[in-house]
Structures are given as C-alpha cells and as structure tokens.
Amino acid sequence: MTPEQLRSLPPNAVGIVASSDDNYAPHLTVLFYSLLANCSAPERVSLFCLDGGISDENKARMNQEVKTLGGSGVDFVSFNSDRYDNLPTIKHITSSAYYRISIPEIFDDSVHKLIYLDCDMIVKGDIIELWDTDIADFHIGAVENLSGHTYKKLGIPQNQYFNSGMLLINLDLWRRDGIPEKVFRFKKENPDKISTNDQCALNGVLHDKWKHLHLKWNQQTGLYRPSEQTAAFSPSEIEEATLSPGIIHYIGWDKPWRKVRFHPLANEYDRFADRLETSPRIKPGFGDYLQAYASVSRLKKLRRQLKWQAWYKEKGYDLYR
C-alpha cells in the first residue's frame, strides 16, 4: 500500500480487522453480524476486511447486513498479495490467512490498537470489553492455544504459545520493533519449527511479548477435551469460558457451516446466520447424517457433542435450535 492509502480511525472508534477470500466471505458476514448484535456501542465499531478476492456481490451483501445493526459498513482493503503467494499453506487454509501479519502496514500512525478476528468465529460477548483491555506493555493480547501440540515443535512451553485467531494488537510496538518482517523471516528461516501457517511464526517472534487474556475471548474446541493443556487453568475460568464465551472459535475442519457438525455450540453460528437475508447455512439431509456417522471416530465426536449439549441444558444455557 502507498502512504495515501493508509487507513485511519475516527476518534473513540473500535477497530476490527478480518481477512477473507470469496469462499469465506459469507461466514465473515455472520461473524460481523454477531459482533454488532452483541455490542453495547455498535456505532463505535469500524470494520475492515483484508480482501483476498471477494466478489462485488458478497461485498454488497456484507455491507447490507452490518448496516442493519447500526454499523457503518465494511472497508475492504486491497493490497499487493504477491509477498504471500509463495508461502506454503496447510489443509483448508488459504494464503489470506497470512494477511494479518501486515496489519500495521495498512493503518497510519494515529491508529494505536486493533482487534484481529478469524472468519471461523462467532462473537457472543461485548467486544467493547475486550477492546478496553490494557496492553500498553505488550505487543498483543491473546489466549493460550488449547488445540494441538505445535508448541513442542517450536520449542517453547505451552503457556507461552498463543492461538492467533483472536489478536488484540498493539500497533505502536509492532511498528517500533518491525514485527511483520521478523515474522516473515522466522517463517522462511525455520521450516523445521513450523506446524501451522502463520501461528507458529507469530509465536516464534512474540512468545514472550504477549498478555494472557481470559479463555472466554477465544473459546476453543480443546475445552471439550480435557487434557494437560486445560489442567493448568482454574475450574472457574474453564467453566466461564465454556458456559459464557465471549468469542467462540470453531477450530479445525469441523466448521459450523458444514452440513453435519459436531461442535456442541455449532448452532450458535445458526443463531446469527438465520437472521441474515441470505443465510449461508446448508441444512443436511438424511443421507448426510448416514455418511457423517459412518466412522467410529465420528460417532465418538457425536457422543461428546450430545454429552456437552446435555451439560449446557442442565446449566440453563439457551441452546439455539
């Protein structure tokens, strides 16, 4: 981007950034809708999308939906993506996942803080509460990663490895220390330590420079599989994150827009998708269930889902149907 294209924010604005290509754009619309629907001051929110090739139709639909909740629309940020094209991608992730690395280069020096969110999320809490977190002495605020053991390959302790799906970013410190270039360099120079797209590289640079936030601000599926990773947290924090999540993160292949889902709170995605003029949700048929339950591993996921949904009902959680 050239200097005259740099973005700024209105006074007192809450800056939210996500990245998407055309395939994920409908689900980003659901994320933005959920964020505004649960925000105490939606008029303060400025939404930005790092554009990985979104169609004009999807852009218009996203803008229409967010404006119904008092949002000012979405600013779609286009930039030269050539620097990302040769970076390897893993599984279902596209190169647009790397765009978050360049966020400080997109905003002018008057913007000091931003929130980055992955597309596979739903916001259930008030984003203003997260925004008001003080990270003056940290490069980011984030939540410890609970899914997988990629921290071991990276060679850092578990409690120093964060999940990069939600980042409260201190842009001043990123600019001062040249974090984007350091992350790119780490990615290229340490292929033996990389198990994810950009998350490992971000941790390789920032593992000792981040503020630990409550698990509720990035509620991960690892909470439904108690392990040594969750054992380090207090039972009260685990229960609050599970029962009253601020942000639900649908990590991995089990996305809530699949025909058959196994996440206990997959229907929270439906709660907001069903309120859109054009819902991206596809309802499954009988054959879809037969195919999904054909393996033992999927049946285990189903049993875990039903167990947790029963727990939610017992606790009085309003499960969406």
Side-chain angles (χ1 to χ4, degrees):
M1 298 190 70
T2 57
E4 63 268 18
Q5 294 174 304
L6 294 178
R7 267 52 175 188
S8 59
L9 287 176
N12 202 35
V14 176
I16 308 294
V17 183
S19 62
S20 179
D21 58 17
D22 203 45
N23 291 324
Y24 276 78
H27 314 303
L28 177 57
T29 304
V30 180
L31 166 62
F32 281 164
Y33 193 95
S34 69
L35 185 154
L36 293 170
N38 291 303
C39 182
S40 60
E43 70 280 358
R44 288 182 56 192
V45 175
S46 293
L47 299 172
F48 297 88
C49 175
L50 309 184
D51 185 1
I54 303 175
S55 68
D56 290 341
E57 180 182 3
N58 273 330
K59 289 179 181 178
R61 184 177 296 118
M62 194 182 303
N63 268 315
Q64 177 183 344
E65 297 292 0
V66 301
K67 287 179 179 178
T68 63
L69 292 174
S72 58
V74 181
D75 185 347
F76 294 92
V77 183
S78 298
F79 56 96
N80 190 339
S81 62
D82 291 348
R83 82 193 282 195
Y84 311 96
D85 290 343
N86 295 325
L87 293 175
T89 57
I90 299 173
K91 298 179 181 178
H92 58 280
I93 306 299
T94 65
S95 60
S96 63
Y98 290 114
Y99 295 172
R100 80 193 85 185
I101 300 172
S102 298
I103 286 175
E105 302 168 358
I106 293 168
F107 295 87
D108 65 31
D109 290 346
S110 69
V111 183
H112 307 292
K113 181 168 65 171
L114 287 168
I115 295 174
Y116 171 84
L117 298 174
D118 271 350
C119 293
D120 56 348
M121 290 179 155
I122 291 296
V123 178
K124 289 283 291 178
D126 188 347
I127 204 71
I128 303 296
E129 180 186 344
L130 175 61
W131 177 261
D132 287 340
T133 304
D134 181 10
I135 57 166
D137 298 325
F138 301 90
H139 287 68
I140 59 170
V143 173
E144 187 174 316
N145 190 70
L146 298 181
S147 302
H149 296 82
T150 52
Y151 65 92
K152 293 181 178 179
K153 189 173 182 180
L154 195 59
I156 63 175
Q158 177 202 324
N159 64 4
Q160 290 185 19
Y161 188 91
F162 56 85
N163 184 278
S164 63
M166 185 287 296
L167 299 175
L168 181 59
I169 304 175
N170 183 331
L171 295 183
D172 293 332
L173 294 185
W174 277 53
R175 296 186 188 104
R176 185 196 71 184
D177 296 336
I179 297 302
E181 285 307 318
K182 288 181 179 179
V183 173
F184 276 108
R185 191 181 312 124
F186 189 95
K187 174 80 176 180
K188 293 176 181 178
E189 295 178 355
N190 299 277
D192 57 315
K193 297 181 179 180
I194 303 296
S195 304
T196 64
N197 286 300
D198 64 331
Q199 183 168 278
C200 284
L202 284 163
N203 273 276
V205 174
L206 298 172
H207 65 90
D208 58 351
K209 300 176 177 65
W210 62 285
K211 182 173 185 174
H212 289 63
L213 303 184
H214 196 289
L215 287 173
K216 71 177 183 178
W217 290 117
N218 190 343
Q219 190 232 50
Q220 303 159 58
T221 52
L223 288 175
Y224 299 110
R225 301 187 299 271
S227 65
E228 74 278 4
Q229 288 178 288
T230 58
F233 295 89
S234 68
S236 61
E237 183 170 359
I238 292 287
E239 179 161 339
E240 183 177 356
T242 309
L243 192 59
S244 302
I247 296 174
I248 301 173
H249 190 181
Y250 300 102
I251 291 175
W253 66 271
D254 190 20
K255 303 302 184 191
W257 49 83
R258 292 173 64 94
K259 288 185 178 180
V260 180
R261 305 83 54 86
F262 297 94
H263 193 289
L265 294 181
N267 286 353
E268 286 299 333
Y269 172 89
D270 304 342
R271 185 188 298 273
F272 300 102
D274 289 349
R275 293 165 64 181
L276 302 183
E277 184 173 322
T278 303
S279 174
R281 184 160 72 103
I282 302 175
K283 295 184 179 180
F286 182 70
D288 296 312
Y289 286 109
L290 288 179
Q291 184 178 4
Y293 299 153
S295 69
V296 173
S297 63
R298 299 285 177 84
L299 288 174
K300 289 181 179 178
K301 292 178 185 295
L302 175 62
R303 286 197 294 269
R304 182 167 60 235
Q305 179 188 45
L306 294 175
K307 181 193 78 171
W308 279 103
Q309 287 179 337
W311 179 84
Y312 276 114
K313 289 180 180 179
E314 180 183 336
K315 295 289 185 177
Y317 188 97
D318 179 25
L319 289 170
Y320 183 80
R321 295 296 183 186

